[in-house]
Amino acid sequence: MHFYVKLISMTFPFNIKPVVICTQYNYRYRYIVSTIIYSVLIIFILSSCKERISYSPPIQKAIELFYIENENDSILQLLSADLQLNSQDIVLRDIFTAAALCEKGDVDSASTLFSGIKIDEKDKILSYWHKHIGGLILFRKNKPTEAYKVLERATSGTCYDIRANALSERLIARILLFYGNNQEGIKWIVKSSQHFQQVGLGKSIGINKKILGRYYMNIGNQREALYFFEKSECILKKFDDIAELYYIYINLNEYYVKTNNLEEAVKYADICLNILKDWNDNQMKTVLYNILGEIKLKQNKTDEAEAYFQTALKLSVNFMTADIEASIALIFLSKIYHERANRSQAIEYALRAQKLFTGQSRHLQSQYDVYNQLSALYSILPNKDKYNSYKDSVDFYYNLLQEERANLSKNIYDIRTELLQMSYNIEQLKNNERNQRTVIIIVATAFVCLIIMLVLLYRRWKSKNLLLKSLARKNIQMVEEERRKLKEIQQQFAVRGTFRKQIDENRAQFIYAQIIEWLQENENYKLTDLTIDQLAYELNTNREYISQAINANGIKFNELINRFRINEVINILSDPTNKLFAQKMSVIASEVGYKSESVFFDAFKKQTGMTPAQFRAAEKDLAEQAP
């Protein structure tokens, strides 16, 4: 600010401040000229300068290193020095120390340090960084749901640093892709790439392309997977980032295994093994050992393959995709023992893999592989009920996979086009910004010259200006009066609207609580002909209020009743001591209130993802396998 005041002062041929310049003239002259000068000054500052946040040099450097990625040792060394920091920068030092520890792999220490950081929510800057780094730590702690909530809030508010938003957008994309929300995940990863490019972080763009490659490999689109892996490798080689290159090579390794190019697969496996000599990362090792086991199987070296899978199984803990990697190892072990005619051991491994995904709807490929293996094992055994049950699951997940791939394949061209167009758009943005700054400087200079001209012309249009000034004041008063009246009206409506809304919400929640209580009382949800009208009668209200209360909680009447009934069936089928456990499904359906067996089957499968027979068979198998 002092710089701009000095600049304006130097523009005048006087060695005093602008306001003092005018004291040699009358009061009105001084007031108008001063107003013009400071108005121009404010316009110039606001127009030519973006909001810039000032940190001490060590903190600024730490943030810069953090978003370069994989510079965590340098960050910890920098922030551990004896630094002279203000109160805000001390908090930022702790936040980014926790961030560096987290990315270095010491998540427990990062979490402990971060939990001790207290911030004032009114401090928007600290609150901003606290959310972004807090979401990152939750993600690394394998708490994707909690991480998503924090990161979504972090990216929806004011953006104080594009780099922070870009990294959080990448994490959101990974969470969405992990849980099968592919279309939204792709949108977030593209958005993240655009922001990384905007701030010139090429390495981060390469990492995003790697994530896209992995995604396409998971849905079986090998051509697109190779395209993104090669683009990512090309970018990351420029930065010589061994950790990120490792993940590129492990993905290329898996790609060549899937495409039966064992020579290339072995080459990349050797590269990965050589890198792992200097790393101690369970996730890295688990993925590699599973791939090495698969290579050995294709080379008919089953003993070596089994050793790799067993090692991978032991290491598959404490990372987000641990259950997926464990299921891969278990399925291959099941196949090995199946080939050895040791069916009991093969079934045990397959059931262990199935247990990892019971009740989950994510990672369709793993669930398909599990049921496909169980179907193959039981196809040669006398018990055809189990075979039919598992075969139904195979068909179910196969159809889901095909539907997913069909829906997403049409978006491939658009995604690639958007990524290729991104560079051009960002460059155009930068050029426009440079041109805008030049124009602003020219305009500001013109304003200063105009002020000098106004000083010379002031006395000639003095009387006219006084008249205009009086008229302007009257208009301002009228506008203020109108604004005041409108504000009073808006406040009145707001109060009334809020009052009505609170009444509606309280009434809906009260009725919903009555509904739940009545359904649970005497297990009324089992009533065969239960209708919304009957429920309204029992609660001494009308069906509209009942419907509104249920809908306000994100559910419909039939769905609510089905949820109670299906939960009761699950209790029956998961308890072998229950007298209804061995009964026919038609009997169980009737017991919980269903008149139609087909309606019962549909409701059960919609809620659980499996048929009642599959559920009971799985529970029975697990009970038999238990020691």
Side-chain angles (χ1 to χ4, degrees):
M1 183 71 176
H2 294 298
F3 167 77
Y4 291 107
V5 172
K6 184 177 180 181
L7 179 64
I8 297 297
S9 300
M10 292 173 63
T11 307
F12 290 87
F14 308 99
N15 192 24
I16 49 178
K17 293 183 180 179
V19 175
V20 180
I21 295 172
C22 306
T23 57
Q24 56 189 300
Y25 303 103
N26 59 41
Y27 174 80
R28 291 189 181 92
Y29 179 84
R30 182 180 62 195
Y31 175 80
I32 293 174
V33 174
S34 298
T35 301
I36 294 172
I37 292 173
Y38 284 112
S39 297
V40 173
L41 179 63
I42 292 170
I43 292 171
F44 180 74
I45 293 172
L46 294 178
S47 300
S48 63
C49 300
K50 294 182 178 179
E51 181 177 12
R52 299 186 185 276
I53 305 169
S54 177
Y55 307 119
S56 64
I59 299 300
Q60 189 71 40
K61 184 63 176 177
I63 296 174
E64 180 182 341
L65 288 172
F66 183 75
Y67 288 105
I68 290 176
E69 306 206 43
N70 297 322
E71 294 288 344
N72 302 298
D73 288 330
S74 300
I75 295 171
L76 293 174
Q77 183 179 357
L78 174 64
L79 297 181
S80 63
D82 187 14
L83 304 173
Q84 298 297 322
L85 304 173
N86 59 37
S87 58
Q88 185 185 64
D89 285 346
I90 288 173
V91 177
L92 286 172
R93 178 197 61 191
D94 293 342
I95 288 175
F96 279 94
T97 298
L101 287 170
C102 175
E103 293 301 87
K104 190 175 168 58
D106 192 354
V107 182
D108 291 336
S109 297
S111 181
T112 301
L113 173 60
F114 194 80
S115 63
I117 298 173
K118 305 299 180 185
I119 64 167
D120 184 355
E121 291 295 330
K122 295 180 181 179
D123 190 325
K124 295 181 179 180
I125 305 299
L126 291 181
S127 179
Y128 174 82
W129 287 115
H130 194 265
K131 288 176 185 176
H132 282 279
I133 302 304
L136 170 65
I137 293 174
L138 286 170
F139 179 83
R140 298 300 185 200
K141 289 180 69 177
N142 303 321
K143 295 182 178 180
T145 303
E146 296 175 38
Y148 177 84
K149 292 177 181 178
V150 174
L151 293 169
E152 197 277 333
R153 289 199 303 270
T155 54
S156 63
T158 303
C159 175
Y160 292 105
D161 195 303
I162 295 176
R163 298 169 298 181
N165 276 46
L167 179 57
S168 293
E169 287 158 0
R170 174 200 290 168
L171 297 177
I172 290 173
R174 291 184 62 182
I175 293 168
L176 290 170
L177 293 173
F178 178 69
Y179 280 113
N181 194 342
N182 299 301
Q183 290 183 335
E184 285 301 311
I186 289 295
K187 290 179 183 177
W188 279 95
I189 202 69
V190 170
K191 187 177 181 181
S192 170
S193 297
Q194 290 173 334
H195 285 154
F196 277 132
Q197 180 137 5
Q198 188 174 343
V199 291
L201 291 175
K203 185 199 294 187
S204 298
I205 296 171
I207 295 171
N208 282 6
K209 290 184 184 296
K210 176 200 69 179
I211 294 170
L212 280 170
R214 186 69 205 178
Y215 157 72
Y216 282 115
M217 184 181 289
N218 287 341
I219 66 169
N221 192 325
Q222 307 301 337
R223 182 176 64 85
E224 287 298 314
L226 182 61
Y227 169 82
F228 281 109
F229 287 147
E230 289 178 342
K231 289 291 183 183
S232 179
E233 181 187 16
C234 182
I235 293 172
L236 293 175
K237 275 186 174 179
K238 298 176 183 177
F239 297 93
D240 195 28
D241 190 317
I242 301 301
E244 294 300 339
L245 281 172
Y246 170 85
Y247 283 113
I248 292 295
Y249 296 141
I250 202 72
N251 281 302
L252 286 170
N253 196 338
E254 185 174 347
Y255 167 81
Y256 286 116
V257 170
K258 289 181 181 295
T259 55
N260 291 315
N261 189 339
L262 294 185
E263 183 178 349
E264 287 295 308
V266 170
K267 181 184 79 173
Y268 281 107
D270 290 340
I271 294 173
C272 292
L273 282 171
N274 188 53
I275 292 174
L276 278 184
K277 291 178 182 178
D278 301 321
W279 293 81
N280 185 25
D281 187 296
N282 280 353
Q283 184 173 5
M284 288 181 171
K285 291 181 179 179
T286 302
V287 175
L288 179 58
Y289 290 149
N290 272 337
I291 293 174
L292 286 169
E294 195 171 352
I295 292 173
K296 295 301 179 183
L297 272 184
K298 289 180 178 290
Q299 294 175 335
N300 296 319
K301 299 177 181 179
T302 55
D303 290 339
E304 294 181 43
E306 181 184 2
Y308 278 122
F309 290 130
Q310 292 287 6
T311 303
L313 196 58
K314 293 176 183 177
L315 293 171
S316 59
V317 291
N318 296 330
F319 55 91
M320 192 167 69
T321 57
D323 52 355
I324 296 173
E325 294 301 328
S327 73
I328 292 171
L330 288 166
I331 291 169
F332 276 117
L333 287 169
S334 178
K335 290 178 179 180
I336 289 172
Y337 278 92
H338 188 193
E339 291 180 1
R340 293 175 180 173
N342 188 340
R343 293 191 182 89
S344 62
Q345 188 66 45
I347 291 173
E348 179 184 346
Y349 281 125
L351 289 175
R352 284 176 62 186
Q354 181 200 19
K355 189 176 180 180
L356 292 172
F357 297 101
T358 300
Q360 299 184 22
S361 60
R362 59 182 173 82
H363 210 267
L364 300 177
Q365 185 64 51
S366 294
Q367 296 187 80
Y368 170 78
D369 292 340
V370 168
Y371 285 112
N372 194 41
Q373 178 62 12
L374 285 167
S375 174
L377 290 169
Y378 279 98
S379 65
I380 57 177
L381 295 178
N383 190 339
K384 293 301 179 184
D385 288 339
K386 289 185 177 181
Y387 166 73
N388 292 331
S389 172
Y390 292 132
K391 188 66 171 63
D392 288 343
S393 292
V394 171
D395 295 339
F396 174 73
Y397 286 111
Y398 176 79
N399 290 333
L400 287 181
L401 280 169
Q402 292 299 106
E403 181 180 353
E404 178 187 69
R405 291 169 182 173
N407 289 337
L408 291 167
S409 60
K410 62 184 180 181
N411 296 325
I412 292 172
Y413 177 79
D414 292 338
I415 293 168
R416 286 183 59 176
T417 301
E418 188 169 357
L419 288 171
L420 292 172
Q421 184 71 18
M422 185 171 57
S423 299
Y424 175 78
N425 291 341
I426 297 299
E427 189 60 34
Q428 286 292 103
L429 205 72
K430 291 180 178 178
N431 289 334
N432 291 339
E433 187 176 352
R434 284 194 293 267
N435 293 337
Q436 186 179 15
R437 288 177 181 172
T438 302
V439 170
I440 289 171
I441 293 172
I442 295 172
V443 170
T445 304
F447 265 113
V448 173
C449 295
L450 181 61
I451 291 171
I452 298 173
M453 292 177 61
L454 289 173
V455 171
L456 299 175
L457 295 173
Y458 171 72
R459 294 193 178 191
R460 294 184 181 181
W461 44 259
K462 179 178 176 181
S463 59
K464 180 180 179 181
N465 198 43
L466 288 173
L467 179 63
L468 292 174
K469 182 177 179 180
S470 175
L471 181 60
R473 286 175 179 172
K474 289 180 181 179
N475 282 309
I476 290 172
Q477 290 172 355
M478 292 173 61
V479 170
E480 289 296 329
E481 181 65 21
E482 288 293 325
R483 186 178 299 167
R484 184 186 63 79
K485 291 179 180 179
L486 286 173
K487 189 173 182 180
E488 289 178 358
I489 295 172
Q490 289 172 343
Q491 288 175 345
Q492 291 173 2
F493 276 103
V495 170
R496 294 173 184 172
T498 302
F499 181 68
R500 288 197 297 271
K501 184 178 179 183
Q502 289 175 347
I503 292 176
D504 292 341
E505 289 179 352
N506 292 337
R507 179 176 61 197
Q509 290 304 314
F510 176 73
I511 294 175
Y512 188 73
Q514 286 184 305
I515 293 170
I516 298 302
E517 182 180 0
W518 186 83
L519 289 173
Q520 291 176 331
E521 182 181 352
N522 300 322
E523 297 181 333
N524 287 324
Y525 58 85
K526 292 184 179 180
L527 294 174
T528 303
D529 296 317
L530 180 60
T531 65
I532 195 168
D533 291 317
Q534 181 182 353
L535 182 56
Y537 174 80
E538 294 290 342
L539 297 180
N540 195 25
T541 184
N542 61 60
R543 63 176 289 130
E544 285 75 15
Y545 284 164
I546 293 290
S547 179
Q548 289 173 6
I550 294 174
N551 292 342
N553 286 272
I555 195 170
K556 297 180 180 178
F557 173 74
N558 289 336
E559 293 174 347
L560 179 63
I561 303 305
N562 280 335
R563 183 176 297 176
F564 273 96
R565 291 174 177 176
I566 297 306
N567 287 344
E568 177 64 18
V569 174
I570 291 172
N571 289 335
I572 293 170
L573 297 182
S574 60
D575 182 8
T577 64
N578 192 300
K579 63 181 181 179
L580 293 173
F581 178 81
Q583 292 290 333
K584 294 181 179 179
M585 291 301 170
S586 58
V587 175
I588 297 175
S590 177
E591 176 66 23
V592 298
Y594 286 103
K595 292 191 294 184
S596 168
E597 191 174 353
S598 63
V599 173
F600 162 64
F601 275 106
D602 290 342
F604 191 93
K605 195 164 188 178
K606 182 178 179 181
Q607 182 168 325
T608 65
M610 57 199 308
T611 65
Q614 292 169 347
F615 186 89
R616 180 162 60 184
E619 289 292 325
K620 189 174 180 181
D621 285 340
L622 290 172
E624 291 173 356
Q625 294 293 329

